[in-house]
Amino acid sequence: MKPATTPTRSEMSVLLQDGLSGDNGAYGRFLEGAARILRGFCARKLPPGLPGFDAEDLVQEILMAVHAKRHTWRTEEPVEPWLFAIARYKAIDAFRKHGKRIEVDISDHVDAMFVEPDVSGLVARDVMKAVDTLDGRTREVVTAISIEGKSIEETAERLDISRGAVRVAFHRGLKILSERDAS
């Protein structure tokens, strides 16, 4: 039996797109490829020997989140940045649950994660309209981070607030926007 290989970036995108269109076989192959990628991510990035922590459990948690959030992937964008964003957040959640504070370095995946933003025409106008509906500080934070590309530190310094307050305002703003989008 031939060992399974990880699909290429473009193959992963095609498999997920076909899966979203109803091809269960393609979706299964996408999840298998994602699992191989995520096992590598977890093996390289997570400290070994954490008591009560199993990297394979984390891989499964990430895959469940990928399945639950599959409708959020934008088909015109590469799948890897979306996949690694979910992986990063699930890894952070797992460490919080185990009482560990850890920074998950994603620098090895920066090539896969960088996507040139589409700031043309309707997309940019729609984004600006949505962000403009937010209130005061939340709007300033979301604009600085999402539209201007500022870091949390730069935004905190510019607005003279703590980094934690920036994170809270940013996540609240995104939550408000996603709830509006869902309705």
Side-chain angles (χ1 to χ4, degrees), residues 14-168:
V14 169
L15 289 171
L16 181 53
Q17 189 159 6
D18 289 350
L20 294 174
S21 298
D23 183 340
N24 291 334
Y27 187 62
R29 289 189 303 280
F30 165 77
L31 289 175
E32 289 168 1
R36 281 192 290 283
I37 291 168
L38 294 169
R39 283 186 188 100
F41 170 83
C42 290
R44 285 187 309 274
K45 299 302 174 191
L46 304 180
L50 286 177
F53 187 83
D54 180 27
E56 186 60 27
D57 288 345
L58 177 58
V59 170
Q60 296 306 313
E61 285 285 325
I62 297 167
L63 289 174
M64 287 189 294
V66 164
H67 177 71
K69 296 292 185 180
R70 66 191 182 277
H71 66 281
T72 66
W73 175 59
R74 295 180 181 150
T75 57
E76 67 277 0
E77 295 179 7
V79 75
E80 287 82 4
W82 173 80
L83 180 66
F84 286 122
I86 293 172
R88 179 178 178 269
Y89 285 109
K90 281 299 177 181
I92 290 168
D93 287 347
F95 284 113
R96 283 185 185 143
K97 186 166 65 173
H98 285 85
K100 305 288 182 199
R101 179 176 168 90
I102 190 165
E103 298 292 324
V104 179
D105 181 16
I106 58 173
S107 60
D108 290 348
H109 306 288
V110 90
D111 291 339
M113 293 174 49
F114 180 74
V115 177
E116 197 62 47
D118 179 5
V119 292
S120 63
L122 294 175
V123 173
R125 193 169 39 247
D126 289 345
V127 168
M128 289 303 298
K129 271 203 264 183
V131 171
D132 283 344
T133 65
L134 296 172
D135 293 328
R137 184 57 48 96
T138 302
R139 180 180 59 246
E140 290 178 89
V141 168
V142 173
T143 299
I145 294 172
S146 295
I147 296 173
E148 297 171 8
K150 302 290 185 197
S151 70
I152 289 175
E153 292 77 18
E154 291 170 321
T155 304
E157 186 176 311
R158 182 169 119 193
L159 299 175
D160 195 29
I161 59 176
S162 71
R163 292 183 307 198
V166 169
R167 286 186 186 95
V168 169

